[in-house]
Amino acid sequence: MIDTERIYILEDLYNWDYPGTAFAVAGDPIGHSLSPIMYNTAFLVMARVHEKYKNWAYFKFNIPEQDLGMALKLFHKKQFLGISLTSPLKVETMKHATSIDEVAKKMGAINTLTWENAGYNGINTDGYGLEVSVKSQLKINLKGKDVIILGAGGAARAAAIQCLLSDCKTLWIGNRKEDRLNEILKMIGVMGKGKVNRFNLAKLPKDLPKTGLLINATSLGLGPNDPSPIDLSTFDSSLKVFEMIYNPAETQLLRIAKEKGMTCCNGLRMLVEQGAKALQIWTGAQEVPIETMWNALNESLRTPSIAR
Ligand code: NDP
């Protein structure tokens, strides 16, 4: 039985001897990651149909940013077929992938690596996961929408590029620190010309759209007593609210949005959609057991020892 709760570190890779096909999620911290539960449950179900998945296993690794280069070299040497990247490694991974797809290049961030002879190929499935779950949970398309994104980190980058690729009407990006706001706008560059507006979270502009889609891509809300990152009182109740945080399942932002009668959802479906896309790429399978993955995540969040 695989210990999905054990946290491995760089040193474990030197003597890595798992005999099957290995996968990993790398981040710092990593204890909270639900990816091993999501993928190992999927492998169990897939192994009932195809023998080859019987020895597939997914592990979690705490990798500080300064060790990422060495860790990826060792992951490759030990033939880990796929690696997921989480905070704070998504941007740094751009320096280490041997090839990068066009969407990930635009986002300037990688969340999924796939083993190839020469090294790892990098892609980013976060934007895809966001768009699919906005459609399924909030029943809207990004196309033609006024979108407000809160945050300027890795998740906000993926969201911003996805909104532009899907031809949103306007994009408003708000952040606390100005330097990171500058960085994200520089990264978007010509792609967002004429469409993208910036603001500081401490001072909302008067012309900020009152309806459309609001996406929280800040980490404010992860703490049980965190306030909402934005005052919702000036928005119309038709505003749709997408909270990327999924643990806790209901942040202060979501609580207020619900009180105001706004349609809203958390980021759990985004997590499963981006993960299912990565699994399709690793397996080459057209269909992966996405509802099994979804149920495994919901179950683990109901179990306090795992959900923390
Ligand atoms: P980063 O660390 O790259 O960025 C964090 C962002 O949060 C920055 O914009 C930062 O602003 C902002 N922030 C942090 N603390 C505060 C605060 N006290 N007040 C206002 N803003 C704050 O993280 P990621 O972009 O990788 O992730 C952001 C969130 O999205 C996380 O909660 C993560 O769990 C979630 N996420 C969910 C996914 C899903 O599948 N559902 C996928 C990816 C991420 P500043 O620059 O001012 O410090």
Side-chain angles (χ1 to χ4, degrees):
M1 187 65 188
I2 296 145
D3 182 0
T4 53
E5 277 303 284
R6 173 156 175 207
I7 297 173
Y8 295 88
I9 57 172
L10 180 70
E11 281 65 31
D12 293 312
L13 282 172
Y14 289 100
N15 300 314
W16 189 259
D17 62 356
Y18 178 70
T21 305
F23 296 79
V25 58
D28 180 23
I30 200 63
H32 65 284
S33 175
L34 300 177
S35 295
I37 290 162
M38 176 169 81
Y39 287 115
N40 285 320
T41 311
F43 294 158
L44 278 178
V45 170
M46 292 168 86
R48 285 186 214 138
V49 185
H50 293 289
E51 186 81 8
K52 74 167 182 175
Y53 299 119
K54 281 213 166 106
N55 65 2
W56 283 34
Y58 189 102
F59 304 89
K60 68 176 151 192
F61 279 77
N62 191 294
I63 305 291
E65 202 165 355
Q66 69 271 17
D67 292 341
L68 181 65
M70 178 52 76
L72 289 176
K73 274 199 186 88
L74 289 167
F75 279 133
H76 190 260
K77 192 172 165 204
K78 301 290 178 179
Q79 303 202 338
F80 279 66
L81 186 58
I83 310 288
S84 315
L85 288 314
T86 187
S87 182
L89 305 177
K90 291 181 187 182
V91 175
E92 188 66 14
T93 300
M94 296 288 291
K95 292 185 194 151
H96 303 285
T98 38
S99 56
I100 303 174
D101 92 326
E102 286 308 311
V103 172
K105 269 188 201 158
K106 286 195 172 87
M107 291 172 176
I110 289 171
N111 78 338
T112 303
L113 291 169
T114 306
W115 195 94
E116 289 177 346
N117 267 330
Y120 278 113
N121 171 257
I123 61 165
N124 194 316
T125 63
D126 280 339
Y128 165 87
L130 169 76
E131 178 151 24
V132 173
S133 57
V134 161
K135 261 187 207 163
S136 67
Q137 311 277 97
L138 302 179
K139 315 284 179 222
I140 53 165
N141 292 312
L142 296 177
K143 189 176 167 63
K145 284 280 166 319
D146 291 313
V147 184
I148 303 166
I149 296 176
L150 311 180
R157 284 178 179 218
I161 297 296
Q162 194 69 30
C163 290
L164 291 170
L165 287 173
S166 295
D167 206 17
C168 65
K169 188 171 159 202
T170 61
L171 190 57
W172 298 72
I173 304 178
N175 198 46
R176 178 182 56 173
K177 292 186 189 148
E178 289 290 333
D179 53 344
R180 279 186 111 181
L181 204 44
N182 291 338
E183 276 171 34
I184 192 172
L185 277 131
K186 198 168 142 204
M187 186 211 75
I188 290 170
V190 286
M191 223 187 141
K193 209 162 181 249
K195 268 193 179 184
V196 182
N197 310 277
R198 59 182 288 164
F199 64 97
N200 193 294
L201 277 178
K203 194 173 187 306
L204 302 188
K206 286 205 170 57
D207 50 351
L208 195 64
K210 300 291 175 269
T211 187
L213 172 64
L214 174 89
I215 299 170
N216 181 31
T218 75
S219 41
L220 194 59
L222 284 175
N225 301 316
D226 280 0
S228 168
I230 193 165
D231 175 8
L232 285 183
S233 64
T234 57
F235 291 92
D236 193 86
S237 63
S238 59
L239 181 78
K240 306 274 193 294
V241 178
F242 190 95
E243 169 66 272
M244 281 203 192
I245 294 168
Y246 50 83
N247 190 13
E250 191 174 83
T251 59
Q252 185 67 3
L253 173 73
L254 287 181
R255 266 192 290 281
I256 298 171
K258 276 182 191 165
E259 272 167 29
K260 296 196 159 301
M262 295 167 173
T263 306
C264 54
C265 68
N266 70 20
L268 198 62
R269 192 72 207 182
M270 174 177 168
L271 179 72
V272 83
E273 294 289 351
Q274 64 77 29
K277 185 78 180 166
L279 189 55
Q280 269 181 335
I281 287 159
W282 291 334
T283 57
Q286 286 297 313
E287 284 190 27
V288 295
I290 189 165
E291 293 316 313
T292 304
M293 295 160 79
W294 172 245
N295 292 338
L297 287 175
N298 278 295
E299 181 58 33
S300 70
L301 286 171
R302 275 194 293 272
T303 313
S305 65
I306 299 173
R308 265 177 295 281

